[in-house]
């Protein structure tokens, strides 16, 4: 029995010694075959148990198993150590190694369009402004010359907020998600003196039923110019310039007389799309109403101005051939990764 155990210990110590001498995956494999293989030394060692007297078999067997476990574990550790060391030591790039594909995020197509638009208007001398999406009645309606009984204020057409401080009998206190970026015209005129030349991209909210062209949240690009001697000609030429620069030199534009409480005269702008053989409405525009100037303490006898508010989703859809507005909010990577 003593002899058998001695032999077992010899297998362990030579195994450990030879393992630490292994320098490469090939050395390791040779070691594995020699010690742990089906005809290896560990197997041979276990066969020695046959020579051990019956009453000592149990103890010798336990010893044999301990040696086997120790070598198996040492092998696993050495293998892990050697692989990481080999790749860390290597001073060349293995160009055949499979690449790691990095999934890159990107700017949302709508935000890319916003960037394109603000950049384009930037080149025409416009700065960019923004304002809050939760607005008060003053900026969304009153200052924009939308009277108390106007249908645009209907609760069915607005997301009014039920806040603690809100009282139906205290006018001007109502809060809502803004329905138009025209609110920011007021905020700009309250804080800046003319001359003003600004574009305002932003989200607006309306309780519309969702379909291919409507969402209850969408984006508008508002523009406001205030200076001395500003006329409708400035408005029209700026819109022409913008449309041609963005959609192409040949693009046709038309102005249709319209009505908005905050502009006089007012118009709607359509762009002709050859592929669809159809006029697509961009939005409204007009000369800033004197009442709006008065609300902002700007003298309408001295200053005049124009404004427009265009739908950004519409612009993006026409520019990039997107046929359903819902695609902008569904976060489907098959759509988003195309841009
Ligand atoms: N605020 C209007 C809307 O959401 C669009 C609009 C019309 C904006 C005329 C303007 C404007 O600045 O002058 O329907």
């Amino acid at each position: 029995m003593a002899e058998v155990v001695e032999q077992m210990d010899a297998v362990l110590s030579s195994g450990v010694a030879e393992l630490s001498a292994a320098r490469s995956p090939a050395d390791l494999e040779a070691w594995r075959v020699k010690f742990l293989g089906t005809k290896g030394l560990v197997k041979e060692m276990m066969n020695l148990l046959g020579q051990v007297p019956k009453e000592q078999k149990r103890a010798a067997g336990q010893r044999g198993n301990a040696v086997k476990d120790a070598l198996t574990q040492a092998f696993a550790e050495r293998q892990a150590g050697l692989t990481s060391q080999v790749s860390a030591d290597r001073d060349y790039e293995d160009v055949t190694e499979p690449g790691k594909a990095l999934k890159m995020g990107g700017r949302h197509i709508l935000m890319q369009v916003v960037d394109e638009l603000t950049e384009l208007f930037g080149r025409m001398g416009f700065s960019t402004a923004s304002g809050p999406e939760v607005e008060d009645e003053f900026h969304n309606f009153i200052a924009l010359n939308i009277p108390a009984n106007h249908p645009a204020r209907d609760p069915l057409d607005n997301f009014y907020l039920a806040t603690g401080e809100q009282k139906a009998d205290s006018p001007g206190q109502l809060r809502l998600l803004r329905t138009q970026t025209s609110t920011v015209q007021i905020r700009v005129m309250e804080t800046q003196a003319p001359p003003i030349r600004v574009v305002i991209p932003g989200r607006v909210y309306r309780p519309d039923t969702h379909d291919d062209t409507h969402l209850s949240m969408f984006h508008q690009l508002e523009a406001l110019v205030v200076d001395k001697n500003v006329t409708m000609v400035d408005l029209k030429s700026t819109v022409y310039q913008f449309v041609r620069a963005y959609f192409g030199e040949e693009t046709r534009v038309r102005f249709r007389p319209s009505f908005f409480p905050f502009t006089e005269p007012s118009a709607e702008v359509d762009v002709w799309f050859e592929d669809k053989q159809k006029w697509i409405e961009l939005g409204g525009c007009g000369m800033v109403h004197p009442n709006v100037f008065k609300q902002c303490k700007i003298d309408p006898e001295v200053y005049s101005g124009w404004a427009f508010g265009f739908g950004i989703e519409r612009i993006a859809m026409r520019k990039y051939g997107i046929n359903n507005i819902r695609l902008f909010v569904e976060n489907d990577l098959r759509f988003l990764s195309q841009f």
Side-chain angles (χ1 to χ4, degrees):
M1 150 81 180
E3 206 180 299
V4 169
V5 169
E6 254 170 47
Q7 283 190 41
M8 286 175 168
D9 289 346
V11 170
L12 179 61
S13 54
S14 67
V16 169
E18 286 183 36
L19 190 60
S20 63
R23 285 280 164 269
S24 67
D27 290 351
L28 262 190
E29 178 58 9
W31 183 94
R32 189 192 63 77
V33 171
K34 179 171 173 185
F35 284 88
L36 299 175
T38 42
K39 291 179 185 151
L41 293 175
V42 168
K43 182 87 182 176
E44 243 174 59
M45 170 189 86
M46 294 309 247
N47 289 339
L48 294 176
L49 288 175
Q51 308 167 11
V52 176
K54 203 173 168 197
E55 63 281 8
Q56 293 172 358
K57 258 205 176 94
R58 193 180 149 89
Q62 280 172 351
R63 183 69 198 150
N65 281 334
V67 168
K68 182 179 172 183
D69 290 348
L71 287 177
T72 308
Q73 197 190 337
F75 172 76
E77 280 167 13
R78 184 78 185 136
Q79 192 177 38
L82 205 61
T83 350
S84 61
Q85 196 189 341
V86 163
S87 49
D89 284 356
R90 145 180 118 194
D91 57 359
Y92 60 90
E93 275 306 314
D94 180 357
V95 293
T96 64
E97 201 171 80
K100 295 190 188 81
L102 288 180
K103 285 232 167 92
M104 299 283 280
R107 209 153 157 66
H108 191 282
I109 176 59
L110 209 59
M111 293 303 110
Q112 290 183 44
V113 169
V114 167
D115 290 346
E116 289 166 3
L117 296 174
T118 51
E119 198 266 343
L120 202 162
F121 277 96
R123 281 189 272 141
M124 295 198 270
F126 287 76
S127 56
T128 305
S130 64
E133 292 175 24
V134 174
E135 261 299 3
D136 52 43
E137 222 185 345
F138 177 76
H139 291 90
N140 204 85
F141 299 122
I142 297 169
L144 287 165
N145 199 31
I146 302 175
N149 57 354
H150 194 279
R153 295 199 184 206
D154 194 310
L156 293 175
D157 292 328
N158 295 278
F159 287 114
Y160 285 106
L161 301 184
T163 59
E165 67 222 68
Q166 189 165 300
K167 293 185 199 74
D169 57 355
S170 56
Q173 291 303 302
L174 288 173
R175 286 178 173 274
L176 73 163
L177 298 179
R178 69 180 177 199
T179 55
Q180 46 189 354
T181 44
S182 305
T183 53
V184 190
Q185 287 188 32
I186 305 302
R187 292 192 173 272
V188 168
M189 287 190 280
E190 282 172 337
T191 53
Q192 290 176 35
I196 292 169
R197 212 172 159 77
V198 72
V199 282
I200 303 139
R203 289 188 181 138
V204 298
Y205 301 83
R206 293 178 194 178
D208 283 338
T209 307
H210 293 185
D211 62 26
D212 289 0
T213 53
H214 293 86
L215 290 176
S216 43
M217 183 280 292
F218 59 100
H219 296 71
Q220 288 185 327
L221 183 76
E222 192 84 14
L224 174 69
V225 170
V226 182
D227 204 346
K228 291 174 180 156
N229 305 316
V230 172
T231 68
M232 191 93 183
V233 175
D234 301 318
L235 164 61
K236 288 183 82 170
S237 62
T238 307
V239 171
Y240 276 121
Q241 248 186 306
F242 154 62
V243 167
R244 289 182 182 148
Y246 199 64
F247 293 109
E249 274 310 309
E250 303 304 314
T251 315
R252 286 161 63 200
V253 185
R254 80 178 177 194
F255 289 77
R256 270 182 296 115
S258 185
F259 174 81
F260 298 98
F262 36 90
T263 45
E264 179 59 35
S266 305
E268 263 161 295
V269 181
D270 299 333
V271 174
W272 175 257
F273 286 97
E274 200 56 40
D275 52 342
K276 292 233 162 176
Q277 288 289 303
K278 169 158 133 180
W279 290 102
I280 305 259
E281 188 193 312
L282 282 191
C285 65
M287 302 304 294
V288 179
H289 196 289
N291 288 350
V292 174
F293 279 143
K294 283 181 202 155
Q295 290 284 358
C296 304
K297 315 247 175 329
I298 291 176
D299 186 350
E301 299 297 330
V302 179
Y303 291 102
S304 55
W306 60 256
F308 70 62
F310 295 161
I312 298 184
E313 278 82 355
R314 279 211 174 159
I315 293 174
M317 287 167 83
R318 289 313 306 153
K319 173 89 174 177
Y320 291 102
I322 298 163
N323 57 15
N324 192 324
I325 196 170
R326 284 178 278 220
L327 287 165
F328 290 117
V329 293
E330 280 172 345
N331 275 342
D332 186 334
L333 283 177
R334 289 169 302 181
F335 168 74
L336 295 175
S337 60
Q338 290 177 44
F339 304 100

